Amino acid sequence: MHCRNGGLMTKPLRHETILKLVRQAPIPNQHALQMELKKSGLAATQATLSRDLAELGLVKTAEGYKLPAQVAEPSQFPNGDLKRVMREFLREASPANNLIVVKTPPGNANALGIALDKASLPEVVGTIAGDDTILVVTRSAATARSLRKKFLNWVG
Amino acid sequence: MHCRNGGLMTKPLRHETILKLVRQAPIPNQHALQMELKKSGLAATQATLSRDLAELGLVKTAEGYKLPAQVAEPSQFPNGDLKRVMREFLREASPANNLIVVKTPPGNANALGIALDKASLPEVVGTIAGDDTILVVTRSAATARSLRKKFLNWVG
DNA sequence: GTGCAACATGTATAATTATACAATTGATCC
DNA sequence: GGATCAATTGTATAATTATACATGTTGCAC
């Protein structure tokens, strides 16, 4: 078979390069990794990369392969606080694709945004708060819709 | 098609159950999850579970699906310390499948074991230290062998 | 009521990943 | 030198996961 290896220890270099790449950004799949490595002059088949990723202990998330350290901490504790803040400030929540557009009284978006971030709900990828509007970014439209319903239930 | 759903909101319950299961132990794959859910009287196809896992933001590791919180922290900082301790105490390191059997002078296994744990090398799944022997558990035989070489290089 | 849109889900299949096996290379021992 | 073994990798394929599409259901507007 053609192992074009030729005795050069390519594996350690490849592993280093993979770690370098994954530190820059999550790698969506093994084919993408293969392309990136090729740019660095490193050839490897999908099978080899599958083995590499396992040996390096990388982890596959919705965003792609990451270092374990890069895996976001999820909600540290429940959201009693969030519910309270939300009851106070939430006026309206509209899904828009994978976003929820949350309206608050003028000047209060930030407060609610902070509470949302702190609660770090698993559904929430991130938030941006303006003056009276927060964009809540979720992984999918379905998530946005179901999370929105959860919000509305909370404020009952 | 037969969505035997009948209007009961099975999804939230299913999601709760999945989270409960994954808190107990990593779930190796979607088929295993399907079997577990069946035990709880919850029927779902692989496709549904694939969608569920994505919505819940679970992450796939070598051990299976986990909560992001359960993903182990990798080496926090390099291993200068470990190298020093290792030079002092390491006498022998033999690979045995996915283990490395590390020998130390009598009574020193624990010290080296602690240094190993602190360094939390990505290759190391865990360690057990006796009196003059440490078992270093890695993910694979290949990892064990290459890590062992790394050890031997360190102690020069 | 009808119509419509959003959901949840199953089926079938595409896409992705893991692995059994074979081949090559380099080291070690006789 | 030749034999043998461990390591690395490719090929082919199996196993696993994601998704395009279709369908039954529910809630809401009219």
Side-chain angles (χ1 to χ4, degrees), chain A residues 27-107:
Chain A
I27 299 173
N29 57 45
Q30 297 177 6
H31 187 253
L33 175 56
Q34 194 175 30
M35 296 299 113
E36 284 303 316
L37 286 173
K38 184 139 55 178
K39 288 189 201 164
S40 306
L42 289 166
T45 60
Q46 174 267 321
T48 297
L49 299 182
S50 170
R51 293 184 272 244
D52 285 348
L53 292 172
E55 287 173 32
L56 293 170
L58 297 190
V59 146
K60 192 173 190 188
T61 71
E63 293 85 41
Y65 290 96
K66 290 185 182 182
L67 291 170
Q70 295 173 325
V71 175
E73 280 297 321
S75 88
Q76 195 67 339
F77 52 89
N79 35 41
D81 248 27
L82 175 58
K83 282 194 196 174
R84 199 175 39 64
V85 178
M86 208 162 259
R87 259 191 287 274
E88 189 169 352
F89 292 131
L90 183 142
R91 286 298 132 91
E92 194 184 311
S94 324
N97 203 345
N98 68 319
L99 303 175
I100 310 174
V101 181
V102 175
K103 289 297 216 169
T104 71

Side-chain angles (χ1 to χ4, degrees), chain A residues 103-151:
Chain A
K103 289 297 216 169
T104 71
N108 294 126
N110 228 271
L112 182 47
I114 288 169
L116 264 168
D117 285 345
K118 279 209 191 135
S120 55
L121 307 172
E123 298 96 332
V124 173
V125 175
T127 68
I128 309 176
D131 178 68
D132 65 350
T133 306
I134 306 166
L135 288 184
V136 179
V137 185
T138 63
R139 253 178 296 277
S140 71
T143 307
R145 286 186 298 253
S146 86
L147 181 57
R148 176 217 174 215
K149 280 197 183 163
K150 198 188 276 190
F151 287 174

Side-chain angles (χ1 to χ4, degrees), chain B residues 5-58:
Chain B
N5 171 336
L8 293 78
M9 292 197 315
T10 62
K11 187 156 110 161
L13 173 59
R14 190 152 33 77
H15 280 195
E16 282 311 311
T17 310
I18 292 172
L19 290 175
K20 216 166 287 171
L21 288 170
V22 83
R23 260 181 230 115
Q24 293 171 1
I27 300 173
N29 56 45
Q30 297 178 6
H31 187 254
L33 175 56
Q34 192 174 31
M35 297 299 112
E36 285 303 316
L37 287 173
K38 184 138 55 180
K39 287 190 200 162
S40 305
L42 288 167
T45 59
Q46 175 267 321
T48 297
L49 299 182
S50 169
R51 293 184 272 244
D52 285 349
L53 292 172
E55 285 172 34
L56 293 170
L58 297 189

Side-chain angles (χ1 to χ4, degrees), chain B residues 10-128:
Chain B
T10 62
K11 187 156 110 161
L13 173 59
R14 190 152 33 77
H15 280 195
E16 282 311 311
T17 310
I18 292 172
L19 290 175
K20 216 166 287 171
L21 288 170
V22 83
R23 260 181 230 115
Q24 293 171 1
I27 300 173
N29 56 45
Q30 297 178 6
H31 187 254
L33 175 56
Q34 192 174 31
M35 297 299 112
E36 285 303 316
L37 287 173
K38 184 138 55 180
K39 287 190 200 162
S40 305
L42 288 167
T45 59
Q46 175 267 321
T48 297
L49 299 182
S50 169
R51 293 184 272 244
D52 285 349
L53 292 172
E55 285 172 34
L56 293 170
L58 297 189
V59 146
K60 192 173 191 189
T61 71
E63 293 85 41
Y65 290 96
K66 290 185 179 180
L67 292 170
Q70 294 173 326
V71 175
E73 280 296 320
S75 86
Q76 195 65 341
F77 54 90
N79 35 41
D81 248 30
L82 176 57
K83 281 193 196 174
R84 199 175 39 67
V85 178
M86 207 163 257
R87 259 192 288 271
E88 188 169 355
F89 293 130
L90 184 142
R91 286 299 132 89
E92 196 184 309
S94 324
N97 204 344
N98 67 320
L99 303 175
I100 311 173
V101 181
V102 175
K103 290 297 217 169
T104 71
N108 294 126
N110 229 271
L112 181 47
I114 288 171
L116 264 168
D117 285 345
K118 280 208 191 140
S120 56
L121 307 172
E123 297 96 334
V124 173
V125 175
T127 68
I128 309 175

